[in-house]
Amino acid sequence: MPTLTFHGHACFVLEHERTRLIIDPFLTGNPKAVVAPAKIPKLDAVLVTHGHGDHLGDAVALAKRDGALLVAPFELAEVCGERGAPNVHAMAIGGAHDFRFGRVKVVNAVHGGTIADDTRHSPPCGYVVTLGGTRVYHCGDTALTLDMQLLQGGVDVMLVPIGDNYTMGIEDAARAVEFVAPRTVIPMHFGTFPVIDVDPEAFRRRVGAGADVVILRPGESWRR
Ligand code: NI
Ligand code: MN
């Protein structure tokens, strides 16, 4: 079972044995982050769901610092390589790959695809990461989709956006939990900015007995 640490917004560090990876490392400029990128221990991999600044964030800088593998949707991976990420692995929705640290499957997300400081587009995605036998689904930024039903039975821990406006809100996120039926749900992408300030306790009530809702504050870790 890996340890998950929430760093605010959509940023999580997953650790298992000697392996550490980070997803959507928006630390610099994140008003809720309590840890500077320099304080993140050495990473094996950096996963990015899409090119918006609040997800791409410090990805290239961290990948450079540690020589970490940067995993991203194809066009975004290309941009990260041009920006100096030393090891880039491009993927696309529907594809999975067995990395040394674990398996990554790229799944659909319905959201925008612009890339911060670039004119190109790259389709956004979510990831199902299997690490130490635990399947973690990071939804990325997304609307509620029927595609999520395809993941039912294949997810142990779901990291789900609830902040509304740019992503699912509480009601849709609770339906997403019904579709996927994970054991544990951790809400994300709320409270960072006033427009996505929602109450995670209201989400917990909405999910009810459907799953264990674990509400993490930035900097907090969780392990089953
Ligand atoms: Ni976004
Ligand atoms: Mn976002």
Side-chain angles (χ1 to χ4, degrees):
M1 176 69 205
T3 300
L4 279 78
T5 303
F6 182 49
H7 285 295
H9 207 54
C11 179
F12 288 84
V13 169
L14 275 56
E15 288 166 292
H16 179 68
E17 290 168 356
R18 301 171 82 102
T19 296
R20 184 178 299 110
L21 55 96
I22 198 165
I23 306 176
D24 285 356
F26 170 48
L27 298 168
T28 302
N30 177 351
K32 298 292 182 190
V34 296
V35 168
K39 296 286 185 198
I40 300 287
K42 189 173 192 309
L43 296 162
D44 299 286
V46 178
L47 275 59
V48 187
T49 61
H50 64 294
H52 292 163
D54 58 318
H55 297 259
L56 182 56
D58 300 296
V60 171
L62 286 167
K64 273 187 197 170
R65 184 193 74 178
D66 295 339
L69 187 68
L70 192 153
V71 178
F74 191 89
E75 294 81 2
L76 179 58
E78 192 169 63
V79 170
C80 291
E82 290 168 15
R83 292 182 185 177
N87 301 301
V88 166
H89 187 104
M91 298 185 75
I93 288 168
H97 187 76
D98 289 307
F99 294 94
R100 258 194 323 189
F101 58 83
R103 183 172 178 83
V104 174
K105 180 157 189 186
V106 187
V107 298
N108 193 30
V110 173
H111 188 65
T114 55
I115 300 174
D117 304 316
D118 203 279
T119 54
R120 283 166 282 184
H121 277 238
S122 191
C125 73
Y127 291 109
V128 179
V129 180
T130 306
L131 193 63
T134 298
R135 300 158 302 178
V136 180
Y137 171 30
H138 187 298
C139 298
D141 280 0
T142 185
L144 176 66
T145 72
L146 284 170
D147 292 14
M148 290 170 176
Q149 295 180 357
L150 297 171
L151 300 176
Q152 192 171 114
V155 174
D156 300 298
V157 183
M158 182 172 176
L159 315 177
V160 64
I162 66 165
D164 226 335
N165 196 78
Y166 303 116
T167 67
M168 292 183 281
I170 284 171
E171 220 172 284
D172 282 358
R175 288 193 75 193
V177 171
E178 282 175 29
F179 286 176
V180 176
R183 182 189 302 230
T184 305
V185 183
I186 303 177
M188 64 172 181
H189 214 276
F190 67 95
T192 321
F193 316 111
V195 72
I196 58 170
D197 197 6
V198 302
D199 179 8
E201 292 295 345
F203 172 68
R204 191 205 296 280
R205 286 193 294 274
R206 188 95 194 182
V207 171
D212 291 333
V213 177
V214 175
I215 298 169
L216 297 177
R217 283 187 299 256
E220 279 186 342
S221 296
W222 176 83
R223 190 164 200 254
R224 187 162 71 208

